[in-house]
Amino acid sequence: MKSPGLFRWFGLLLGAAAACGGGSNQPIESGTGGAGGSEPDGSGGASSAGGADAQPGAGGAGGQAEATWPTGCAEQPASIRTEGTPVELAFELVLGGEPFLFGEPNVAPDGSTVTPLNVRFYVSHAALIGADGDLVPVDIVGPDGAPTPYGVHFYNAEDPGSAALRLRAPAGSYEGVSFIWGLHQACNSSRPETSVAPLAEASQMTWPHTGHLFLRYEGNVAPPDEGDPVDPEGETATVPPAVHMGGNLVEDLAPRVEVRGALSVPASGSTGKVVRLVMDEVFAGATADVDMTGFVPPPGPVGDELFAGERLRRGLPDRTVFTFGP
């Protein structure tokens, strides 16, 4: 039986959602579909072409059918497209322009020494960015070319094999890659106890009040050889000891990020790029002075890692967290 405090928390979240307009994500525009049918799921927002409302996977009157992400959170999702070129994006963490080595001491720009002990995040609803800014949804696939369970990629710094995000994409010239840094709401609200990897409890990303974490970072921070000690609570430190970014079960708060830069996908063969996760930007966002109006923390003891994650999530539109490597 849920406690009265938990019911009160859900009530506060509903009120906050109404007050904030249902979240901070920007609508995703599409080049086809009618008014009210231009988002990747075929609902909401205005379109650059087409007329009447569109259904998922179909254009509005005067528009044309387009590829869309599957709805729901099926363990074996349908393919967005049956043909395409393999694109491999290798995630690389950097701090101060240097590789951010997992489990090893790294010198931060402020002179502190940072040892990352846990770095995990989800990627879902990937797309390529067309020359006109439209998003072209693509499949997230495994080494065998089949869509991954739930259409999700799970990065775990303890597993080198998880560094490669594999996509199946149509040939063409693009302006970059876009993806949800975390889980879209259907998967975020799934039940870990009945899910398989990477949404199972073994992921260490489950969070009873929000479904799943989107990003989990934890590390040790030692002060500079000279200078003021680093606050262990992360309140004044430029490098926080932990950042937990998530959403909730009431509204879709998963952030969409972009990696801008020329990306050419050939008609045959394969291609790839290095995608850097700039930890300087992650830490700066997690410690920034951000308006937290409307944020309702879950019941029970709440550590600063939760507030650090929410500060990061809210400030992502103004930060370049992901970049293409050389």
Side-chain angles (χ1 to χ4, degrees):
M1 179 177 182
K2 292 184 174 67
S3 67
L6 188 56
F7 282 119
R8 177 178 178 275
W9 180 70
F10 273 110
L12 290 171
L13 277 177
L14 287 169
C20 297
S24 61
N25 290 344
Q26 297 296 316
I28 302 169
E29 297 180 355
S30 168
T32 59
S38 63
E39 291 193 10
D41 63 357
S43 61
S47 168
S48 61
D53 290 354
Q55 299 299 317
Q64 61 183 13
E66 60 179 339
T68 60
W69 295 287
T71 59
C73 188
E75 179 182 335
Q76 296 180 333
S79 296
I80 296 173
R81 59 188 78 251
T82 57
E83 297 180 352
T85 301
V87 178
E88 183 169 296
L89 303 177
F91 285 115
E92 176 185 89
L93 277 58
V94 295
L95 179 67
E98 299 295 330
F100 189 50
L101 303 178
F102 181 75
E104 299 184 26
N106 301 264
V107 178
D110 68 355
S112 60
T113 300
V114 186
T115 304
L117 302 176
N118 201 345
V119 187
R120 301 163 186 254
F121 59 82
Y122 287 116
V123 169
S124 60
H125 279 190
L128 301 185
I129 304 173
D132 52 6
D134 288 348
L135 298 185
V136 180
V138 296
D139 292 292
I140 296 177
V141 299
D144 60 355
T148 58
Y150 311 106
V152 167
H153 177 74
F154 178 47
Y155 174 90
N156 176 5
E158 296 182 73
D159 176 15
S162 70
L165 169 64
R166 297 178 178 88
L167 310 175
R168 180 166 57 228
S173 297
Y174 300 94
E175 301 297 315
V177 179
S178 173
F179 51 82
I180 287 179
W181 195 19
L183 299 175
H184 59 91
Q185 193 67 349
C187 280
N188 184 47
S189 58
S190 64
R191 297 175 57 186
E193 65 271 19
T194 59
S195 300
V196 302
L199 302 187
E201 294 175 329
S203 67
Q204 300 183 29
M205 297 289 278
T206 60
W207 206 10
H209 307 301
T210 67
H212 298 76
L213 288 171
F214 301 154
L215 163 71
R216 179 174 182 174
Y217 166 82
E218 289 144 11
N220 288 334
V221 184
D225 292 336
E226 297 181 3
D228 297 330
V230 176
D231 183 349
E233 299 300 323
E235 295 178 0
T236 60
T238 58
V239 179
V243 181
H244 289 182
M245 181 178 70
N248 62 51
L249 297 175
V250 179
E251 55 183 327
D252 188 356
L253 298 177
R256 177 166 284 278
V257 297
E258 294 182 345
V259 191
R260 286 282 180 170
L263 176 61
S264 178
V265 179
S268 60
S270 62
T271 189
K273 284 252 189 183
V274 171
V275 173
R276 288 179 165 176
L277 172 54
V278 184
M279 296 304 296
D280 313 63
E281 289 287 275
V282 172
F283 295 150
T287 57
D289 183 11
V290 176
D291 182 4
M292 299 285 278
T293 300
F295 177 60
V296 182
V302 177
D304 190 65
E305 67 275 2
L306 172 61
F307 294 95
E310 180 62 8
R311 288 191 290 267
L312 171 63
R313 190 191 68 80
R314 293 191 177 206
L316 279 174
D318 299 321
R319 298 193 174 277
T320 305
V321 176
F322 290 92
T323 65
F324 282 132

